[in-house]
Amino acid sequence: KKLPLLAVGKEGKANNELSWPRGLALDEPNQLIYIADYGNERIQVVSLTGKFLKRFGQGILKSPWGIAVTEGNLYVTDVNLNALLQFSKKGYKLVKRTGQLNNPRGLCTDSNGDLYVAESGNNRVSVFSKDFNFVKHLGTQQLSYPRDVKASLISIVVLDRSPNCIHFFSRSGALLRSCVTQK
């Protein structure tokens, strides 16, 4: 099925307006797009056709950046709160929050439901179970300013701003290779 070309939002504070959007997540089964609206300190929910549906997180979020969605939950990193937050998709209520992060940015989940957080301030990726228990750190010797992270079935891919590099880690955390981007 082909989707029509669409544009969502313009700069501003009203519904369907954005200020410094930082991340997005697709919820394909429910045909939703979640947008981390950094400057407005909220998450906006729009349909795949671009129709505004809801906003939430005001009064809780300060600077939402990374965002990931699972079957029942939505996860958000906030760089000013230095936290990973879990919201239920039913009612968008805050469920859990973990601190002890430093400048968390990109975020993803893997096929097991584990959460991967690119921590720019700590030069690492922190891994949490779906129950928010700490599992491990990745890249403590290799990363210098990780901005984003994605998980596949065979590897964890980390975008590192300095030295403009993409790192590939095994699921167990071993560095597989690094690719420096060309200028």
Side-chain angles (χ1 to χ4, degrees), residues 7-23:
V8 175
K10 62 179 183 175
E11 188 172 349
K13 296 181 183 247
N15 293 343
N16 219 24
E17 294 180 347
L18 304 169
S19 177
W20 294 87
R22 292 291 190 235

Side-chain angles (χ1 to χ4, degrees), residues 20-25 33-38 43-44 64-67:
W20 294 87
R22 292 291 190 235
L24 62 87
I33 302 170
Y34 294 92
I35 304 167
D37 191 359
Y38 178 92
I43 302 299
Q44 291 209 51
W65 193 288
I67 190 164

Side-chain angles (χ1 to χ4, degrees), residues 15-165:
N15 293 343
N16 219 24
E17 294 180 347
L18 304 169
S19 177
W20 294 87
R22 292 291 190 235
L24 62 87
L26 295 176
D27 182 352
E28 291 184 86
N30 294 308
Q31 299 187 12
L32 300 174
I33 302 170
Y34 294 92
I35 304 167
D37 191 359
Y38 178 92
N40 288 321
E41 302 177 350
R42 65 187 179 195
I43 302 299
Q44 291 209 51
V45 186
V46 298
S47 69
L48 288 181
T49 61
K51 179 183 176 194
F52 172 82
L53 301 172
K54 186 167 185 65
R55 65 182 187 186
F56 66 94
Q58 304 93 311
I60 299 171
L61 298 170
K62 297 296 178 202
S63 300
W65 193 288
I67 190 164
V69 64
T70 61
E71 190 173 306
N73 295 298
L74 186 73
Y75 300 92
V76 179
T77 56
D78 191 300
V79 296
N80 283 345
L81 295 176
N82 288 313
L84 171 63
L85 299 97
Q86 177 187 8
F87 294 87
S88 69
K89 284 182 13 187
K90 185 175 183 176
Y92 301 108
K93 302 292 182 203
L94 181 64
V95 177
K96 291 183 183 177
R97 172 184 165 168
T98 183
Q100 308 299 328
L101 301 175
N102 188 349
N103 205 357
R105 302 224 178 209
L107 166 69
C108 72
T109 59
D110 67 12
S111 58
N112 297 324
D114 290 339
L115 301 153
Y116 294 77
V117 179
E119 279 192 83
S120 294
N122 284 330
N123 305 323
R124 66 186 181 201
V125 171
S126 293
V127 183
F128 297 89
S129 70
K130 60 185 169 188
D131 300 321
F132 264 45
N133 295 314
F134 173 76
V135 176
K136 62 185 169 190
H137 294 298
L138 299 176
T140 55
Q141 301 298 311
Q142 299 86 6
L143 300 175
S144 60
Y145 200 82
R147 299 283 293 222
D148 206 358
V149 60
K150 299 298 176 212
S152 75
L153 292 176
I154 57 171
S155 65
I156 308 303
V157 182
V158 181
L159 177 65
D160 200 356
R161 187 184 83 181
S162 176
N164 298 315
C165 190

